[in-house]
Amino acid sequence: MADAQYADLPRPHGGVAHAYGPRVHLLSFPYPMSLLSRLCQPETTQPEVDRLVSSLYDWMLGEVSSRLLQQEPAQVPTRMQAHHPVAGQYIGQRIARRQRVVVVDVARAGTLPAHRVYHGLHHLIEPADIRQDHIVASRVTDDAGQVTGASIQAAKIGGGVRDAAILIPDPMAATGASLSAVITRYQADPDGAPRVIAALHLIATPEYLRRMTTDFPELEIFAVRLDRGLSPAAVLGTRPGERWDEERGLNDIQYIVPGAGGVGELLNNAWV
């Protein structure tokens, strides 16, 4: 007999209350916030940087997959089935083993996060249904250091994305220039549209959220932390998004404040 409690597994929901819209998920829970605060400290260097980023994305994969990936009914024997042929089975829902998922590595800051998400998915989904793509994208700036757009220098995309869940693990969501170029490329796929596109960030800014929710209203955005540290004190005392026009998280050269100070550089131990 199946246990009713497993028949319709609840999906996690909630996070920080905000006014950015229903597709923005601010996952500022104590566990990931504690890891992220340690990652951002000036004295945190390699190899601890890699360990912290890996732990954060392992945790985020669980949160995002439970919210977005398709589920299916399952009947799975346990080791106790030899002693209890009927009761020694799990009968209930699980994440569907057969569903297309594409993980996008936006080099260079996204390489390790994408690697963790891609390999973590193999515990859940049939390997033949999981793919990892690689895109080299970078900001384009003017003489004053202002971001004017993004360019894609190279890409290795392994096929179409029709009906797939596209997961883009990119730690720092500052201006949205690079991610916008990446998403636009996938949306132009002649094979057909993906089922869902999700961006997985450690830190996001109000400026990024405004751009992405305007340009890509169907995009699911997940972030551990929202940084709006350059906002006026009165704005910092309000619920995020209530005074969106006055919120500011980017300095004059589009670095995040309080931020983490160049996660791409830290992850790669490369400062150019």
Side-chain angles (χ1 to χ4, degrees):
M1 173 109 182
D3 191 328
Q5 66 174 318
Y6 307 136
D8 187 17
L9 296 181
R11 292 184 182 269
H13 58 84
V16 171
H18 61 77
Y20 300 124
R23 297 191 187 279
V24 174
H25 313 275
L26 301 179
L27 309 179
S28 301
F29 304 124
Y31 174 72
M33 287 289 279
S34 299
L35 295 180
L36 184 55
S37 68
R38 186 169 172 180
L39 173 66
C40 296
Q41 292 176 219
E43 62 269 24
T44 301
T45 58
Q46 288 290 10
E48 189 176 12
V49 168
D50 276 6
R51 291 197 291 263
L52 288 168
V53 169
S54 296
S55 294
L56 280 159
Y57 273 97
D58 291 346
W59 173 84
M60 190 177 286
L61 173 60
E63 189 75 22
V64 172
S65 61
S66 291
R67 294 183 186 223
L68 294 186
L69 294 186
Q70 296 167 322
Q71 297 185 106
E72 66 181 2
Q75 186 167 338
V76 184
T78 75
R79 294 182 180 88
M80 293 302 294
Q81 189 181 35
H83 306 283
H84 303 276
V86 177
Q89 302 179 75
Y90 169 72
I91 303 173
Q93 284 193 321
R94 67 178 179 187
I95 289 174
R97 293 286 298 169
R98 300 307 306 262
Q99 59 182 304
R100 298 187 67 200
V101 182
V102 176
V103 181
V104 182
D105 159 29
V106 183
R108 64 184 174 171
T111 299
L112 176 61
H115 174 84
R116 298 297 299 195
V117 170
Y118 172 71
H119 282 277
L121 284 167
H122 283 78
H123 297 300
L124 305 172
I125 297 171
E126 292 294 333
D129 293 327
I130 311 169
R131 190 179 89 217
Q132 184 171 213
D133 290 347
H134 303 271
I135 295 178
V136 179
S138 61
R139 295 174 166 185
V140 176
T141 59
D142 59 20
D143 292 339
Q146 297 292 310
V147 177
T148 59
S151 65
I152 294 179
Q153 288 90 29
K156 186 68 173 179
I157 295 177
V161 294
R162 179 167 48 87
D163 296 330
I166 299 179
L167 306 182
I168 310 174
D170 193 19
M172 300 293 106
T175 68
S178 296
L179 199 67
S180 180
V182 171
I183 293 173
T184 298
R185 182 159 187 152
Y186 280 102
Q187 286 185 331
D189 187 345
D191 180 60
R195 182 178 63 82
V196 64
I197 303 177
L200 284 58
H201 309 298
L202 300 184
I203 298 175
T205 66
E207 295 94 328
Y208 166 86
L209 295 178
R210 180 172 294 282
R211 173 176 184 163
M212 302 307 284
T213 56
T214 300
D215 294 350
F216 308 101
E218 299 303 312
L219 176 66
E220 299 282 350
I221 300 172
F222 294 86
V224 173
R225 199 173 84 196
L226 170 76
D227 279 11
R228 52 176 184 165
L230 296 176
S231 306
V235 174
L236 292 174
T238 64
R239 184 173 62 131
E242 284 185 354
R243 297 170 63 173
W244 202 346
D245 290 340
E246 301 173 73
E247 292 180 340
R248 185 182 174 202
L250 296 174
N251 66 14
D252 291 340
I253 55 171
Q254 279 79 46
Y255 272 75
I256 301 173
V257 178
V263 168
E265 291 85 348
L266 286 164
L267 283 167
N268 294 281
N269 245 4
W271 304 95
V272 295

